Amino acid sequence: MPTKIDMARFAKFCKDMGFIYQSSEIYGGINGFWDYGPLGVELKKNIKDAWWQDMVRNPPPGPDGQEIRMVGLDCAIIMNPKVWVASGHAGGFQDPMTACKACKGLFRADQIKIIHFMFTDFDFHVTGIGSFEQVQEANASQIKKLSKGREWTTIQKTEFVKQGEEQRAKMKCPACGEIGTLSEPRAFNLMNETNIGAAVDSSSKAYLRPETAQGIFVNYRNVLDSTRLKLPFGIAQTGKAFRNEINPRNFTFRSREFEQMEIEFFCHPSESMKWYEYWRDLRKRWYSTLGIKSDNLKPREQGKDELAHYSIGTTDIEYMFPFSDEPQELEGVAHRGSFDLDAHAKMSGMAEKFAYFDEDKWNSDAATRTTNSFKEWMKSNPTAEAIAKYQFTPHVIEPSAGADRFTLAVLCEAYTEDRVPDANGKEETRVLMKFHPRLAPIKCAIFPLVNKDGMPEKAMALYRSLKPHFNVFFDDKGAVGRRYRRQDEAGTPFCITIDGTTLVDDTVTIRDRDTLKQDRVKISEVKTVIEKALSPA
């Protein structure tokens, strides 16, 4: 489990260290928006770079050992509003909200579940947020107490949004427990509107994108035409997205501005489940290679009542954040079928641009036909099944990760307090960030033991030789023990000290952040030692 920490205290630590700041803090801040400081921006960049390297530039072989072809895009944040009509966001990207008149709590009405227990002589109900199983588990002690060991005759599971006014008047608030205080659900659009151009009217209305995926779908044909890619292949993108969250909370976890790392992987419909399982398993393993303990990762297959309307299957890769008793989503791996391509084909009126023609399959069957022209062959009125052998709409597997959520998970996982001896051998509490070296904002710090005898010059020479290759830090201020502590809090995996022995044999000490072990190595070997630690697992 991550170290159980107070999130307010943790947020202050992140601010003091330069990981994350409240946006616009001098003006009182703005809820749901955050800025990354000097250490935070390096950490987040390292996360995105690791993702791009491991998933786009150098993905592991596919399920049958084949090479995976991946390319990238960088799409505009503001797109033609018709994109969001086609995707369903303009009409359906809204949450039904309900407010409690007693505690002033605001809730997603579609997430409130009600379980009604009926006995021969009385009945009662429990309410909660989440799945029915989660609500029943959260209210287990109350159910046991009220049941008094008796078996209920009937149990009904219903959703708050399906209740009429009379039923709502009997419902309990899931937060304060007051009866009849929840308001009628009202639709709340999650997309942020803006206006393009000088005029501010309905014709100038546009939206800040709520996801990066649609930019990939509308460029599907452009990518095919310009790259000569063949199925299966993936298109990746990292970038900002915006959602008008009702209740931003838990530090950066639920924000109104966030960054996504998304892949849309296009494949033949008959192979889609194989690729879904491949990406699901690969994405879970990836987090473990970057320092997230496997017992904190909880992959969970969504139930049928949770699936998005377009999804054939979705796995949420969840993480046990220290602010929650339940695992929270880091990433969703969704089997989207052909929904998005079909929707844009219909909306744009360009269906031919979203169909995929399997040229290899067509050529392999040349001996069975009298023509090599697909258009001529189509004039023979082949069956739909025959056409689908060569021309079809691909299915899409979407691993969609949150760069900000993973950054928060890395910070939570790395935060550690332990006891170590000080310069006099007395134990003291040490705060350190146990980042994986690939993700650490600073890869190593260079210290001259003292500021004399040529040590600063030797240290500066090493610093300058490493600087073109890694983010390194030079520090010659204060006792070396205090310099170690400062780097421990920043999560720097290695501290290199130039001392009197360095001047004799050209060796330095490399101190390991986690174990405190110090090894002597040749200055000429320092770069190799660091590179080895930064290599992907």
Side-chain angles (χ1 to χ4, degrees):
M1 292 284 290
T3 303
K4 279 294 181 182
I5 50 180
D6 176 81
M7 290 308 291
R9 177 181 164 212
F10 183 62
K12 184 179 184 305
F13 169 81
C14 289
K15 175 189 172 184
D16 292 345
M17 289 302 301
F19 285 111
I20 300 174
Y21 309 137
Q22 172 68 60
S23 181
S24 317
E25 184 181 36
I26 62 171
Y27 294 106
I30 178 169
N31 197 17
F33 297 90
W34 302 90
D35 299 332
Y36 287 85
L39 290 181
V41 74
E42 291 286 344
L43 174 63
K44 186 177 173 184
K45 180 181 183 300
N46 291 342
I47 285 171
K48 292 187 291 182
D49 287 350
W51 182 85
W52 195 265
Q53 175 63 27
D54 297 346
M55 299 296 121
V56 184
R57 289 181 176 168
N58 187 35
D64 298 325
Q66 69 271 52
E67 283 297 307
I68 293 183
R69 291 159 289 194
M70 300 287 297
V71 295
L73 282 181
D74 185 4
C75 302
I77 286 174
I78 296 175
M79 304 169 71
N80 189 306
K82 291 181 181 178
V83 170
W84 308 113
V85 175
S87 68
H89 288 82
F93 194 59
Q94 49 191 2
D95 289 337
M97 304 302 300
T98 183
C100 176
K101 300 171 187 176
C103 69
K104 310 303 181 186
L106 193 61
F107 312 98
R108 283 265 303 271
D110 59 330
Q111 291 184 349
I112 300 177
K113 303 294 193 301
I114 304 152
I115 306 178
H116 194 177
F117 298 91
M118 287 168 279
F119 300 83
T120 54
D121 53 344
F122 81 106
D123 65 283
F124 69 90
H125 75 271
V126 294
T127 59
I129 296 174
S131 66
F132 288 112
E133 291 76 14
Q134 289 171 329
V135 171
Q136 187 161 343
E137 184 177 344
N139 291 277
S141 59
Q142 181 186 1
I143 294 170
K144 182 178 180 180
K145 180 180 178 181
L146 292 174
S147 299
K148 297 179 182 179
R150 294 178 293 178
E151 291 290 328
W152 50 78
T153 57
T154 308
I155 179 171
Q156 292 181 347
K157 297 179 179 180
T158 57
E159 299 176 359
F160 180 77
V161 289
K162 297 179 179 178
Q163 303 299 298
E165 184 177 355
E166 185 177 340
Q167 288 93 348
R168 286 198 305 273
K170 302 175 184 178
M171 298 297 104
K172 295 178 181 178
C173 169
C176 68
E178 289 292 319
I179 297 175
T181 57
L182 293 175
S183 66
E184 179 183 357
R186 296 178 183 275
F188 184 90
N189 197 297
L190 295 177
M191 283 202 295
N192 288 283
E193 293 185 9
T194 188
N195 292 89
I196 305 300
V200 178
D201 55 29
S202 59
S203 66
S204 68
K205 185 169 72 172
Y207 301 96
L208 302 183
R209 66 183 180 193
E211 65 179 25
T212 61
Q214 297 306 318
I216 296 175
F217 293 126
V218 299
N219 277 295
Y220 159 78
R221 175 51 60 180
N222 288 334
V223 171
L224 269 182
D225 291 346
S226 61
T227 61
R228 297 170 58 202
L229 282 170
K230 295 182 179 181
L231 289 183
F233 67 89
I235 304 176
Q237 178 173 203
T238 64
K240 294 276 191 178
F242 305 82
R243 294 187 183 181
N244 194 16
E245 291 286 352
I246 303 297
N247 184 25
R249 60 191 182 276
N250 293 329
F251 200 16
T252 62
F253 179 80
R254 192 169 296 282
S255 301
R256 290 176 169 138
E257 176 185 344
F258 51 94
E259 195 158 4
Q260 292 183 297
M261 306 182 295
E262 284 197 316
I263 292 169
E264 306 303 330
F265 193 81
F266 301 89
C267 59
H268 192 283
S270 66
E271 297 182 340
S272 59
M273 286 308 296
K274 175 177 69 175
W275 285 109
Y276 169 64
E277 292 168 0
Y278 166 84
W279 282 106
R280 177 194 65 196
D281 297 343
L282 173 61
R283 294 302 301 142
K284 179 183 181 297
R285 288 197 306 271
W286 185 76
Y287 290 103
S288 299
T289 67
L290 292 173
I292 302 297
K293 296 184 181 67
S294 60
D295 56 347
N296 290 332
L297 288 171
K298 312 286 183 181
R300 182 181 66 84
E301 192 79 20
Q302 286 189 5
K304 290 184 179 180
D305 60 330
E306 299 176 88
L307 290 174
H309 63 91
Y310 56 76
S311 180
I312 295 173
T314 296
T315 297
D316 288 337
I317 300 173
E318 299 177 330
Y319 175 75
M320 276 300 302
F321 285 93
F323 55 73
S324 175
D325 293 328
E326 297 283 343
Q328 302 295 317
E329 183 183 353
L330 271 184
E331 174 170 347
V333 180
H335 187 320
R336 298 179 73 108
S338 62
F339 168 79
D340 300 276
L341 296 181
D342 289 340
H344 289 299
K346 181 179 180 181
M347 185 72 186
S348 67
M350 299 181 180
E352 71 282 356
K353 288 187 175 293
F354 294 91
Y356 179 83
F357 178 66
D358 192 337
E359 187 176 0
D360 291 341
K361 179 64 176 172
W362 173 258
N363 290 336
S364 69
D365 291 347
T368 65
R369 300 184 307 270
T370 59
T371 177
N372 283 329
S373 168
F374 184 73
K375 288 183 178 180
E376 287 298 318
W377 180 72
M378 286 292 290
K379 293 177 182 178
S380 66
N381 295 319
T383 65
E385 184 180 358
I387 296 172
K389 287 175 60 179
Y390 309 116
Q391 189 176 64
F392 53 88
T393 303
H395 277 195
V396 179
I397 311 303
E398 179 190 73
S400 177
D404 299 279
R405 286 192 177 183
F406 186 37
T407 301
L408 180 59
V410 168
L411 285 165
C412 292
E413 186 85 18
Y415 184 85
T416 306
E417 296 180 7
D418 64 7
R419 303 282 292 175
V420 297
D422 62 15
N424 299 316
K426 183 179 179 181
E427 279 203 346
E428 62 179 2
T429 299
R430 175 180 69 142
V431 174
L432 71 157
M433 301 297 285
K434 288 188 174 182
F435 296 127
H436 188 285
R438 280 186 81 188
L439 304 184
I442 302 169
K443 304 309 181 188
C444 71
I446 315 297
F447 306 151
L449 183 62
V450 293
N451 286 319
K452 60 181 182 180
D453 301 331
M455 295 182 200
E457 293 78 7
K458 198 79 171 176
M460 181 57 70
L462 177 59
Y463 167 74
R464 286 177 174 164
S465 73
L466 296 176
K467 191 177 179 183
H469 309 285
F470 318 109
N471 187 25
V472 294
F473 188 81
F474 181 88
D475 190 358
D476 61 355
K477 301 294 190 295
V480 71
R482 286 197 292 273
R483 284 181 265 172
Y484 284 151
R485 293 294 179 269
R486 287 196 290 265
Q487 293 305 313
D488 290 343
E489 289 183 333
T492 305
F494 304 110
C495 288
I496 300 171
T497 304
I498 283 74
D499 55 21
T501 306
T502 308
L503 306 178
V504 176
D505 61 9
D506 231 23
T507 63
V508 296
T509 62
I510 297 186
R511 171 190 179 267
D512 183 274
R513 174 197 63 208
D514 300 341
T515 66
L516 305 182
K517 182 183 178 183
Q518 298 192 30
D519 295 318
R520 291 205 77 86
V521 302
K522 289 281 188 182
I523 286 182
S524 59
E525 297 173 0
V526 169
K527 179 172 175 286
T528 301
V529 171
I530 298 171
E531 285 176 337
K532 184 177 179 181
L534 301 184
S535 298

